[in-house]
Amino acid sequence: MKKIILMALIFAPAALFAQQKYGHINAQEVLTSMPEYSIANGEIEAKAKEYQQEMQEMQAEFQRKAEEYDKAKDTMPQTKQQETETELQDLYMKLQDANQDYQQKLQQLQQEKQQPLYNKLMNAITAVGKTGGYLYIMDIASVLYVNDAISEDVTAKVKAELKK
């Protein structure tokens, strides 16, 4: 009798564990398959190219003025040299500030464009998890190993949920 009770206690947690459903997803694959993702990425890339073009123009102006100064500094009066050096330092600082500003604006644009996509993806994963009765669904990008015998790939289900 004691052996039967002991066996029941040992195998009861295993039986409960086996009844749970676990899922995994390739979230990056789902995200990149969303039409909105391509649109958002295109807008971000266009803005990045615009910022890059502006930075190249500013760098070219700085380079041109620095070369002009280098050629003429020997013939310039001391006050003009100091004035030009100050102007070049100011231009360099503007260049650095613009670069930082563009980086921040680009990060803000990425956040603004991609956050709704991540929210939509999370809502679809949650819906699949609830309707499918999954204990959890994890992203395979953050897991080193997934046992396909225990965990079901729900990538296709999430893609279908997003199309609803």
Side-chain angles (χ1 to χ4, degrees):
M1 181 70 164
K2 287 182 182 179
K3 287 183 181 181
I4 294 173
I5 293 174
L6 183 61
M7 293 289 275
L9 289 174
I10 290 173
F11 290 111
L16 289 174
F17 183 75
Q19 292 174 356
Q20 301 297 328
K21 287 175 72 175
Y22 302 95
H24 60 274
I25 184 172
N26 185 338
Q28 187 63 33
E29 177 187 325
V30 176
L31 190 64
T32 57
S33 72
M34 295 170 67
E36 304 98 312
Y37 181 81
S38 297
I39 294 167
N41 247 15
E43 292 174 13
I44 292 166
E45 288 175 9
K47 191 53 90 170
K49 284 181 183 178
E50 179 184 319
Y51 290 156
Q52 183 179 14
Q53 179 66 32
E54 290 177 19
M55 285 300 298
Q56 286 174 342
E57 290 171 6
M58 290 174 71
Q59 288 172 339
E61 179 186 357
F62 175 77
Q63 190 69 30
R64 182 184 54 78
K65 287 186 177 188
E67 288 173 2
E68 287 174 2
Y69 170 72
D70 284 341
K71 289 178 186 175
K73 75 177 175 182
D74 293 333
T75 60
M76 283 183 185
Q78 185 68 25
T79 56
K80 180 67 175 167
Q81 279 184 2
Q82 289 175 344
E83 193 177 290
T84 306
E85 287 173 1
T86 302
E87 182 183 318
L88 284 172
Q89 288 173 348
D90 290 345
L91 191 57
Y92 182 76
M93 292 303 292
K94 284 182 184 178
L95 187 65
Q96 295 299 317
D97 290 344
N99 187 38
Q100 286 179 343
D101 186 45
Y102 290 156
Q103 292 298 324
Q104 289 174 349
K105 286 180 179 179
L106 203 54
Q107 285 178 336
Q108 184 178 4
L109 181 64
Q110 275 184 308
Q111 178 76 15
E112 179 183 304
K113 295 292 181 182
Q114 292 179 346
Q115 191 60 47
L117 301 177
Y118 290 121
N119 292 344
K120 187 175 179 179
L121 176 62
M122 290 306 300
N123 290 339
I125 292 170
T126 301
V128 167
K130 286 181 180 179
T131 58
Y134 293 92
L135 182 63
Y136 64 80
I137 297 174
M138 58 188 159
D139 187 1
I140 60 171
S142 60
V143 178
L144 297 175
Y145 172 74
V146 175
N147 185 337
D148 289 331
I150 297 173
S151 180
E152 179 184 349
D153 186 353
V154 296
T155 302
K157 290 179 181 181
V158 172
K159 284 181 179 180
E161 179 68 27
L162 285 168
K163 291 181 182 177
K164 288 184 179 179

